[in-house]
Amino acid sequence: MEDYMTKKKLLSTGEFAKLCNIPKHVLIYYDEIGLFKPDKYGKNGYRYYSYFQYDTFVMISALKKLGMSLDNIKEYMNNRNPKIFLDLLSEKESELDKSIEQLKQIKRYISHLKESTKEGMIYDKSCVFETNIQNDEYLLLSDDFDKNKAAEILTDNFIEKYSDFINNNRLDSLEKIGLMIRTDRIDVYTDTFMDYDYFFIPTDKAYSSNIYVRKKGMYLIGIHVGDYERISETYKQMMIYSEKKSMILGEYAFEEYILNDLTQGNSKTYVTKILIPII
């Protein structure tokens, strides 16, 4: 037995388990269910493994980490050949690509949340000012709301439009969604500014339709601190500011929700950012 083990460089269960950085009982269990058997059984019933089995065990572990059941792995192992192996690799590679993209999306969302939260923490009261935005931004738009009232923002109709926008564009619920309103319909004295036109999310140019380019340049910014129901007060201050400076405003106002229920327990400290281009 020792000569055979020396020539074949066989390892005991404990030695092979240490090589694979796993507990011994995993190897014993895999043997019992017929998933991964040792190279040889000794007369004493001990299991002995070959170094050549290492890559096979690593592959089994990788497939398990990718969510493949032990039964399916066993089926593959019992029927494996180069073609089946390549097909399996291609399938798992595709699954990994999707997982990586999802993780990248979550990371982008986290980065955006960090930046917007830092920005929101600057403001403790509502204010209006001008700023120069340096770059164009591409926005993916929903279908036109047909003057859906924001007073209905908590109704089934509005939520349904929100859900449709996400599902129809295969978006993730983590996407940072804002609202757009035509500036020629903003009337803070009658509250008809509550007639919104579109949902939007920042995106790239990968979409072929429903893209709006928010151009770089000077913008009138309104920071609303407080309940959303009182946002008309900030719109009013923006209109007064623009009239005093004889500004010509662009076609749309854009609402972005900097601090909301996700980050604040008190709605009185919510922060909403309103952007209107200055022509």
Side-chain angles (χ1 to χ4, degrees), residues 32-49:
E32 290 174 346
I33 65 173
L35 173 60
F36 183 73
K37 291 187 171 296
D39 183 84
K40 185 176 179 61
Y41 296 96
K43 292 180 180 180
N44 53 9
Y46 289 176
R47 299 169 176 86
Y48 295 99
Y49 296 85

Side-chain angles (χ1 to χ4, degrees), residues 74-276:
K74 179 180 175 181
E75 182 180 354
Y76 160 71
M77 295 296 294
N78 290 338
N79 299 282
R80 65 190 185 274
N81 62 45
K83 183 181 183 307
I84 292 176
F85 182 61
L86 283 176
D87 290 343
L88 179 64
L89 289 179
S90 296
E91 176 187 338
K92 295 306 174 184
E93 184 178 39
S94 178
E95 291 176 5
L96 279 172
D97 286 339
K98 290 179 182 178
S99 297
I100 290 170
E101 185 53 42
Q102 289 173 349
L103 289 173
K104 286 182 177 178
Q105 186 181 43
I106 293 172
K107 184 178 179 181
R108 287 194 297 269
Y109 178 68
I110 290 173
S111 296
H112 177 81
L113 279 181
K114 286 175 63 179
E115 292 305 313
S116 63
T117 302
K118 288 176 184 178
E119 179 183 7
M121 290 171 67
I122 296 172
Y123 305 107
D124 57 6
K125 62 181 179 179
S126 300
C127 58
V128 177
F129 58 91
E130 301 169 50
T131 192
N132 186 16
I133 294 179
Q134 301 293 325
N135 299 301
D136 291 348
E137 187 168 16
Y138 293 87
L139 308 177
L140 175 64
L141 305 187
S142 66
D143 293 330
D144 192 294
F145 282 8
D146 191 23
K147 298 184 179 180
N148 185 61
K149 300 287 186 183
E152 300 173 350
I153 196 164
L154 297 180
T155 67
D156 292 342
N157 186 38
F158 192 90
I159 298 302
E160 182 180 351
K161 288 179 179 289
Y162 179 90
S163 178
D164 286 346
F165 179 49
I166 291 174
N167 294 329
N168 292 342
N169 292 282
R170 298 180 180 179
L171 302 175
D172 191 283
S173 58
L174 295 179
E175 300 284 359
K176 196 71 172 177
I177 296 178
L179 283 167
M180 290 171 60
I181 171 179
R182 289 182 61 89
T183 53
D184 61 8
R185 290 199 289 103
I186 295 176
D187 186 343
V188 294
Y189 300 102
T190 62
D191 281 353
T192 57
F193 77 97
M194 299 292 274
D195 293 342
Y196 287 92
D197 292 280
Y198 302 99
F199 287 119
F200 72 85
I201 61 163
T203 186
D204 53 29
K205 292 182 282 186
Y207 294 91
S208 59
S209 61
N210 280 24
I211 289 294
Y212 182 91
V213 181
R214 188 161 71 185
K215 295 290 188 179
K216 63 184 179 182
M218 292 300 299
Y219 278 74
L220 179 62
I221 304 296
I223 300 297
H224 176 70
V225 177
D227 293 333
Y228 188 81
E229 288 77 7
R230 304 187 61 166
I231 199 168
S232 60
E233 297 172 4
T234 300
Y235 271 100
K236 183 176 180 179
Q237 292 304 313
M238 294 177 76
M239 296 302 104
I240 292 172
Y241 184 100
S242 65
E243 289 171 6
K244 283 183 177 179
K245 294 209 168 187
S246 300
M247 290 179 175
I248 300 175
L249 300 179
E251 184 179 11
Y252 289 102
F254 306 84
E255 287 185 12
E256 298 179 353
Y257 310 105
I258 309 301
L259 297 182
N260 54 24
D261 186 65
L262 179 63
T263 53
Q264 300 275 72
N266 184 356
S267 63
K268 293 181 179 180
T269 53
Y270 286 178
V271 177
T272 304
K273 184 178 183 180
I274 305 165
L275 303 88
I276 305 178

